[in-house]
Amino acid sequence: MELFTKIDIPALSIRIDYTSRIAFFGSCFADNISAQFAARKFSVLANPFGTVYNPVSIAGQIRAIADGKVFGEKDVFQDARGLQNDSGKQDARGKQDARGPWYSWDAHGSLSGATREECIEKLNNAATRTREFLKQADVVFITLGTAFVYYLKDASATGNGDAHGHAVANCHRQAPALFERRMITVEEAARALENIVQDLTRIKRDWILRSAQDDTNIAARDDDRKFHIVFTVSPLRHMGDGAHNNTLSKATLQLAVNNVINKVTTVPSASSGTLPVSYFPSYEIVMDELRDYRFYADDMVHLSKTAEEYIFERMAETYCSEKTRADIAQVEKLTRMANHRIADPESPATHAFAEKILAQAGELEKKIPGLDLSEEKQKFRGTTLHVRG
């Protein structure tokens, strides 16, 4: 008798190990799952422009990175909440409060700044760091949260001349009257996902073509054959939209992903290889395998740590070889030891414990190519030096 519905995940050619560079873009689910990889010491880039939920805004961020965009004054605005224009309505383009923070419609509030210059600098630093990471990325996970998108009614406020309004990644708690909120169509969502595939491919292709001129850059020669894009739909429900609209929103994303994967079965790479685009069933795993509220946080919407760890395990089963999964287990064991609370930093026992951690970390780094335990080693080098002193 089967009492458990397990989602079947087709075998894929994607292989993630400790030499892999993994990027995540999208909803808070992307933050949560990327944290599972980062905790196990994988090389991870997660939401460099902050959390973003809809495919149109994700596509816009990746387009800016692919185009080498340099952010400037027209890309930021100052918070105008509480200020009134002559008509008595809030106006983000009206008189500005010098004390208000500066934001970008294309990024999360974590990239805000006390000054215009600080905000612009954060945006450009994020773009540069992301571009460099994506050039050598092996897998990019795109986590889609909702098909509802906020559009600025006044396109001139962004300076981009978009007559249909500018899709914002974050409203920054500005006046609701500034926005039109609507659920995009399957076709609009699919178009955004196709743009994501094209722009990520362009970043990779351009780097490979430039690197191919350097005969010493062996890694670049095979890089296109390792590159994959994985779409997934966040299992976190947006209950503020109502249960029915949340279902319609998730279905829109599912259909868009399916359309794109069917259309973009193979994307030409810089060489004769191909670029796989696939889907990971995060949504289905939670709906079918974890269909119990014990796998949710107290708000009954977000997932519990147990659920997040289970989804990571399913990802490891799908994308990691048996050897890599064994490596992960060893790294987990070491990091658990390294995270133990030190009661007495000056005791001989602490000194011996630190020496043990340092020795094991060094052995693991030699054994597992690409593994970086410098954070743990630095922590316990300080402990041994303190004890010896």
Side-chain angles (χ1 to χ4, degrees):
M1 181 182 294
E2 290 289 340
L3 299 177
F4 178 78
T5 303
K6 190 165 185 176
I7 299 300
D8 179 48
I9 304 176
L12 298 170
S13 61
I14 303 175
R15 278 293 171 260
I16 293 174
D17 59 27
Y18 278 98
T19 66
S20 302
R21 294 163 66 90
I22 317 165
F24 293 81
F25 290 86
S27 67
C28 54
F29 182 69
D31 293 321
N32 297 339
I33 297 303
S34 65
Q36 294 289 330
F37 279 90
R40 293 160 174 87
K41 314 311 292 184
F42 283 89
S43 177
V44 169
L45 173 73
N47 278 339
F49 288 98
T51 308
V52 58
Y53 296 90
N54 75 80
V56 179
S57 293
I58 297 173
Q61 291 178 349
I62 294 176
R63 171 62 54 85
I65 295 164
D67 287 347
K69 176 177 179 175
V70 177
F71 290 88
E73 292 186 5
K74 68 181 179 63
D75 299 302
V76 299
F77 70 95
Q78 193 173 24
D79 191 350
R81 284 176 291 176
L83 299 178
Q84 305 290 321
N85 61 18
D86 294 337
S87 64
K89 296 181 180 180
Q90 290 186 348
D91 184 354
R93 297 178 296 121
K95 183 180 179 182
Q96 301 293 317
D97 182 351
R99 295 171 297 175
W102 289 80
Y103 298 103
S104 169
W105 295 120
D106 300 319
H108 187 264
S110 57
L111 278 77
S112 65
T115 65
R116 177 196 287 118
E117 293 73 20
E118 180 185 356
C119 184
I120 292 173
E121 182 180 11
K122 286 184 177 180
L123 292 168
N124 283 319
N125 286 343
T128 299
R129 178 169 58 93
T130 305
R131 193 176 302 116
E132 291 305 310
F133 191 96
L134 289 177
K135 288 176 182 178
Q136 301 181 60
D138 299 289
V139 184
V140 179
F141 287 93
I142 306 294
T143 300
L144 307 170
T146 182
F148 281 96
V149 183
Y150 284 84
Y151 290 90
L152 277 176
K153 290 180 180 178
D154 186 355
S156 64
T158 66
N160 65 3
D162 185 351
H164 301 290
H166 180 73
V168 302
N170 196 293
C171 294
H172 301 296
R173 299 183 180 180
Q174 299 302 299
L178 292 173
F179 309 99
E180 174 196 0
R181 181 179 183 270
R182 67 181 179 86
M183 185 165 64
I184 59 176
T185 65
V186 173
E187 291 73 21
E188 288 174 306
R191 186 160 54 248
L193 300 187
E194 286 186 51
N195 289 339
I196 289 171
V197 172
Q198 293 168 2
D199 288 330
L200 287 172
T201 306
R202 177 155 56 101
I203 294 169
K204 173 65 67 172
R205 181 189 62 232
D206 291 348
W207 179 74
I208 293 170
L209 290 175
R210 285 194 295 270
S211 299
Q213 300 173 5
D214 181 2
D215 291 336
T216 63
N217 197 335
I218 299 174
R221 300 175 191 170
D222 297 325
D223 210 65
D224 57 332
R225 289 192 287 274
K226 297 191 299 179
F227 186 52
H228 298 76
I229 298 170
V230 180
F231 290 111
T232 190
V233 172
S234 169
L236 277 65
R237 294 169 295 170
H238 290 233
M239 297 308 290
D241 299 324
H244 182 58
N245 279 335
N246 173 74
T247 300
L248 293 176
S249 172
K250 298 293 187 182
T252 297
L253 299 174
Q254 294 276 11
L255 288 168
V257 170
N258 192 63
N259 288 355
V260 171
I261 289 176
N262 287 338
K263 182 177 180 180
V264 191
T265 53
T266 57
V267 178
S269 67
S271 68
S272 59
T274 57
L275 174 67
V277 179
S278 61
Y279 175 74
F280 182 81
S282 302
Y283 184 85
E284 292 79 0
I285 288 172
V286 171
M287 294 300 106
D288 285 298
E289 295 188 23
L290 306 180
R291 58 169 85 168
D292 190 304
Y293 276 111
R294 65 195 167 109
F295 295 113
Y296 287 82
D298 291 342
D299 63 4
M300 298 299 160
V301 173
H302 291 82
L303 300 182
S304 67
K305 291 296 182 184
T306 300
E308 291 171 3
E309 290 174 0
Y310 179 77
I311 293 173
F312 170 79
E313 289 177 6
R314 293 303 312 273
M315 284 186 162
E317 291 172 2
T318 303
Y319 302 123
C320 299
S321 67
E322 185 176 348
K323 178 188 181 304
T324 300
R325 295 198 298 273
D327 291 341
I328 291 172
Q330 293 185 71
V331 172
E332 288 175 335
K333 181 178 179 181
L334 183 129
T335 55
R336 281 195 299 268
M337 292 174 58
N339 289 331
H340 283 172
R341 186 175 65 87
I342 303 298
D344 182 2
E346 299 183 4
S347 70
T350 296
H351 173 69
F353 180 69
E355 293 285 10
K356 180 180 178 180
I357 292 291
L358 289 171
Q360 291 187 4
E363 290 174 5
L364 278 182
E365 285 182 326
K366 291 178 181 178
K367 181 180 177 181
I368 304 174
L371 177 62
D372 182 2
L373 294 170
S374 56
E375 182 180 351
E376 287 71 20
K377 290 162 69 176
Q378 181 61 36
K379 173 183 175 181
F380 285 96
R381 280 198 189 102
T383 300
T384 57
L385 287 174
H386 179 68
V387 172
R388 287 169 181 167

